[in-house]
Amino acid sequence: MAELTIADLAVDYGPVRALGGITLSVPSGSIVAVLGANGAGKTTLLRAVSGTLRFHRGRVTAGRIALDGDRVDGLPAAAAVRRGVTHVPEGRRVFARMTVAENLRAGGLGTPRAAAAKAAQWVHELFPVLAERAHQRAGLLSGGEQQMLAIGRALMADPKVLLLDEPTLGLAPQMAARIAQTVRTINAAGTSVLLVEQNVAMALSLASHAYVLEVGQVTLEGPASELAGSDEVRRRYLGET
Ligand code: ATP
């Protein structure tokens, strides 16, 4: 369990400013949601935290990111994982040609053996289907199963903070609800969660606090229950008039 704090974070992709000074925090043991339209900068925020920005030609140009007070910005992705920050990217990105078991093993590569063994047990408890399909190629799994695998792979690194990018995107409602329930279970077991989610109603039902991003700026934030009741949020994101 750990607290993630982000202060005045600015990110550029070459000449394009994607984040213009974002401040937010994920208190230890909480679920915090980030909402916003396409292109608002949600994915960029998660990439900056996980150290994967450089794979997309992006660069942190200002600000600080800290885990329990220790700076983690500027770390390579593998080092961020070792510090306890793991990112489940949008679109799942499982290794399609590898088996389920190989995907999970890859997630635990930098993890001490005992912690990885414990994590594997936890992943199979959360997602029994991953044990049943251990020897199947990941690319043959359904979308929901691939999302389970992507989350399972991230859990293999025994994270303190899980960054989830649109985990229910493209899933049938029943599967989306299952994934949401699993996010709750993972959080209840002690992992802080920073959740980017296009399903605003679901995100607000999971999170304790939420931030709305617009063109790289936080324009609204508050307790999730308050945002769920806000006329502006209901109109803009929940399709109500
Ligand atoms: P989506 O839900 O569509 O992923 P988002 O809120 O996650 O949207 P980002 O993907 O973070 O938004 O994009 C923020 C801004 O940065 C957008 O203007 C986008 O065009 C730009 N951007 C994202 N990735 C790159 C990149 N690799 N190179 C240049 N610009 C980028």
Side-chain angles (χ1 to χ4, degrees):
M1 208 173 326
E3 179 177 35
L4 178 70
T5 47
I6 296 167
D8 304 318
L9 182 72
V11 172
D12 290 351
Y13 294 102
V16 178
R17 168 132 298 196
L19 292 181
I22 301 281
T23 296
L24 66 80
S25 73
V26 182
S28 191
S30 68
I31 301 180
V32 167
V34 175
L35 316 173
N38 284 348
K42 307 179 299 298
T43 294
T44 299
L45 173 66
L46 298 191
R47 286 175 180 163
V49 176
S50 64
T52 55
L53 204 52
R54 64 194 72 196
F55 304 139
H56 304 274
R57 299 169 190 271
R59 202 163 67 84
V60 172
T61 53
R64 298 175 302 286
I65 305 171
L67 195 63
D68 283 339
D70 293 328
R71 296 278 293 262
V72 292
D73 45 83
L75 292 179
V81 170
R82 280 197 298 275
R83 293 285 281 275
V85 178
T86 311
H87 186 173
V88 181
E90 187 177 3
R92 335 204 203 286
R93 304 286 163 84
V94 296
F95 303 121
R97 289 164 176 277
M98 285 166 46
T99 66
V100 168
E102 286 164 345
N103 269 270
L104 291 177
R105 224 173 290 135
L109 275 181
T111 315
R113 191 180 289 242
K118 218 169 129 199
Q121 208 176 353
W122 171 229
V123 168
H124 286 140
E125 221 172 276
L126 283 172
F127 305 119
V129 69
L130 297 183
E132 288 159 25
R133 304 266 160 101
H135 303 295
Q136 210 172 81
R137 271 197 199 190
L140 298 176
L141 300 178
S142 71
E145 289 164 348
Q146 288 191 20
Q147 186 61 61
M148 293 177 188
L149 179 55
I151 295 173
R153 188 178 57 184
L155 291 177
M156 289 294 293
D158 194 20
K160 295 178 184 151
V161 178
L162 197 59
L163 312 173
L164 289 174
D165 198 344
E166 313 241 359
T168 69
L169 186 66
L171 301 183
Q174 215 178 347
M175 181 56 85
R178 238 185 106 185
I179 296 288
Q181 189 49 47
T182 310
V183 172
R184 266 192 204 102
T185 306
I186 292 168
N187 174 249
T191 307
S192 310
V193 176
L194 180 55
L195 170 70
V196 164
E197 181 54 75
Q198 39 75 43
N199 183 334
V200 172
M202 176 179 289
L204 292 178
S205 78
L206 283 174
S208 53
H209 201 90
Y211 294 80
V212 174
L213 275 190
E214 283 178 86
V215 246
Q217 303 279 356
V218 173
T219 53
L220 193 64
E221 68 163 295
S225 54
E226 247 170 55
L227 260 61
S230 135
D231 285 344
E232 190 184 350
V233 170
R234 298 174 80 87
R235 225 178 19 249
R236 294 176 67 164
Y237 298 106
L238 299 177
E240 296 177 13
T241 47

